[in-house]
Amino acid sequence: MEDKKSRPGPRPGGRSALVQAAVHRAVRDIQAQGDAQQLTIPVIAGRAGVTPSTIYRRWGTLAELLSDVAVENLRPDRDPEEHGSFRADLIAWIEQYIEEVSSVPGRNMLRTVLAVDKPQNRVQCTTYTLEQVEIIRQRALTRGESVPEGDAILDRLVAPLIYRLLFASEQPDRARIETLVDALLVDG
Amino acid sequence: MEDKKSRPGPRPGGRSALVQAAVHRAVRDIQAQGDAQQLTIPVIAGRAGVTPSTIYRRWGTLAELLSDVAVENLRPDRDPEEHGSFRADLIAWIEQYIEEVSSVPGRNMLRTVLAVDKPQNRVQCTTYTLEQVEIIRQRALTRGESVPEGDAILDRLVAPLIYRLLFASEQPDRARIETLVDALLVDG
């Protein structure tokens, strides 16, 4: 029980957390095998060693369970790279972020999160993004740079790129990213 | 056959268009009854007077058919209102647009469009939006106003509002909309 910070969800290390971990792992294993037909509550339950009714009681529907797993997959697994300036850090981070969410598994994750009306999962995506942006901002502030607010970075950089990825199938190139970042730094 | 412009999809008035219209209508009728359990390909086919295999052949899956119907529902049914200035027209239009897509049926439509990997449907949402924006821009140009590009309006106004609706469950208020519009008008 190394993590005692309060966060939504079950008590870390408790029985409920063990069930969640086993069920999430079962979903990931089945997804890794690439056979979507196998992604059913009975098959997942069998693999996780729990009863189907445990899954129904806790998640309600398969779509909700898949949404939970997708959000967990979207959790960043490392801090943004350091390149010595706010501009360089921000460009490197957003390039990698967009590359990840525009890949086939990335697009599937976003779609799965959006597929159910579970605001807490959708909001979690933005929370992860803001956390990464905050690390980049704090580093820059420590270096004495002046930086825009996190909300402005969401509105002016992340939002247009994600909107066009979702609704225009537009994969941004480096020039497009630099244009958005530079406009943000000027108006900031 | 009043509409001879080339556009994607079946020849207007052809047999294929009649099938499409009947199937779309069947989906809408069943949705209006509010019983999601009835939204299956056999029930839709029965109601539309076609065979289930017609639907499978043409749409592949239920999710694709529902996505097509949702996009059709997102088509604007009237031009943006006129209020005498670009700023007023833009604010009135975006307020109404956001109100529509953040309603329960509006959110369901967006979710249904995003649920399948059919770029043409997702892109169509942006096309409708740009068409409305273009009407507002052209009116303003006729009045001699200088106006930002349509793409800037997507990036600076539509994208942040839709992004936060999807990923932060944030319903914008009038002040937020005015702030975005005014920033857009200053920077152009």
Side-chain angles (χ1 to χ4, degrees):
Chain A
M1 275 187 265
E2 61 282 278
D3 183 355
K4 295 220 179 195
K5 276 183 297 184
S6 78
R7 56 168 69 181
R11 180 168 56 84
R15 191 166 49 89
S16 168
L18 294 178
V19 166
Q20 176 177 309
V23 171
H24 277 209
R25 195 163 50 238
V27 169
R28 286 202 189 88
D29 287 349
I30 296 167
Q31 284 174 332
Q33 290 165 4
D35 184 0
Q37 303 278 332
Q38 292 295 304
L39 215 50
T40 66
I41 289 186
V43 173
I44 295 166
R47 190 159 190 132
V50 304
T51 62
S53 66
T54 300
I55 296 185
Y56 285 114
R57 203 165 36 229
R58 177 145 177 177
W59 282 278
T61 63
L62 177 61
E64 279 211 38
L65 168 57
L66 297 181
S67 170
D68 282 7
V69 174
V71 167
E72 198 54 37
N73 289 342
L74 285 166
R75 179 197 293 271
D77 49 11
R78 59 192 172 289
D79 286 355
E81 294 166 13
E82 289 210 57
H83 295 274
S85 75
F86 180 71
R87 182 177 185 278
D89 285 6
L90 194 61
I91 288 176
W93 167 76
I94 192 75
E95 269 200 323
Q96 194 179 339
Y97 178 70
I98 293 296
E99 197 178 298
E100 282 171 15
V101 297
S102 63
S103 67
V104 172
R107 289 205 311 270
N108 283 340
M109 278 186 264
L110 280 190
R111 203 164 37 238
T112 306
V113 171
L114 292 171
V116 294
D117 199 2
K118 194 170 181 178
Q120 126 200 25
N121 280 357
R122 296 183 282 116
V123 170
Q124 189 60 52
C125 300
T126 310
T127 305
Y128 289 148
T129 303
L130 269 176
E131 284 169 3
Q132 298 289 89
V133 161
E134 200 49 34
I135 293 171
I136 297 173
R137 284 185 74 248
Q138 289 304 327
R139 278 185 196 147
L141 289 170
T142 305
R143 282 190 302 255
E145 295 184 71
S146 72
V147 294
E149 295 297 321
D151 271 338
I153 298 172
L154 277 199
D155 281 348
R156 302 281 305 264
L157 179 63
V158 180
L161 294 175
I162 295 289
Y163 176 81
R164 287 185 188 258
L165 205 60
L166 289 177
F167 292 107
S169 282
E170 268 179 38
Q171 181 84 30
D173 58 14
R174 172 82 183 208
R176 159 91 166 139
I177 287 175
E178 288 187 355
T179 303
L180 290 173
V181 167
D182 289 333
L184 174 68
L185 292 179
V186 168
D187 304 331
Chain B
M1 279 187 263
E2 59 284 275
D3 183 356
K4 296 220 178 196
K5 276 183 297 183
S6 78
R7 57 168 67 181
R11 179 169 57 82
R15 192 166 48 90
S16 167
L18 293 178
V19 166
Q20 175 176 308
V23 171
H24 278 209
R25 194 162 49 238
V27 169
R28 283 201 192 89
D29 288 348
I30 296 167
Q31 284 174 332
Q33 290 165 4
D35 184 358
Q37 303 277 332
Q38 292 294 304
L39 216 50
T40 66
I41 289 185
V43 174
I44 295 165
R47 189 155 191 135
V50 304
T51 62
S53 65
T54 300
I55 296 184
Y56 286 113
R57 202 162 40 226
R58 176 144 180 177
W59 282 278
T61 63
L62 177 62
E64 279 212 39
L65 167 57
L66 296 182
S67 170
D68 282 8
V69 174
V71 168
E72 198 54 36
N73 289 344
L74 285 165
R75 179 198 293 272
D77 50 11
R78 60 191 171 286
D79 285 356
E81 292 166 14
E82 289 209 58
H83 295 274
S85 75
F86 180 71
R87 181 177 186 279
D89 285 6
L90 194 61
I91 289 176
W93 167 76
I94 192 75
E95 269 199 322
Q96 193 177 341
Y97 177 71
I98 292 296
E99 198 178 300
E100 282 171 13
V101 297
S102 62
S103 67
V104 172
R107 290 205 313 268
N108 283 340
M109 278 187 262
L110 281 190
R111 204 165 37 239
T112 307
V113 170
L114 292 172
V116 294
D117 199 1
K118 194 168 182 181
Q120 132 200 18
N121 280 359
R122 295 183 283 117
V123 170
Q124 188 61 50
C125 300
T126 311
T127 304
Y128 289 147
T129 303
L130 269 177
E131 284 170 2
Q132 298 289 89
V133 161
E134 200 48 34
I135 293 172
I136 297 173
R137 284 184 74 247
Q138 289 305 325
R139 277 185 197 149
L141 289 170
T142 305
R143 283 191 299 255
E145 295 184 71
S146 71
V147 293
E149 295 295 322
D151 271 337
I153 297 171
L154 277 199
D155 282 348
R156 303 280 305 265
L157 179 63
V158 180
L161 294 174
I162 295 289
Y163 176 81
R164 289 188 187 256
L165 207 59
L166 289 177
F167 292 106
S169 283
E170 268 179 38
Q171 181 85 28
D173 57 14
R174 173 82 184 211
R176 160 90 166 140
I177 287 176
E178 288 187 354
T179 303
L180 289 173
V181 167
D182 289 334
L184 174 68
L185 292 179
V186 168
D187 305 331

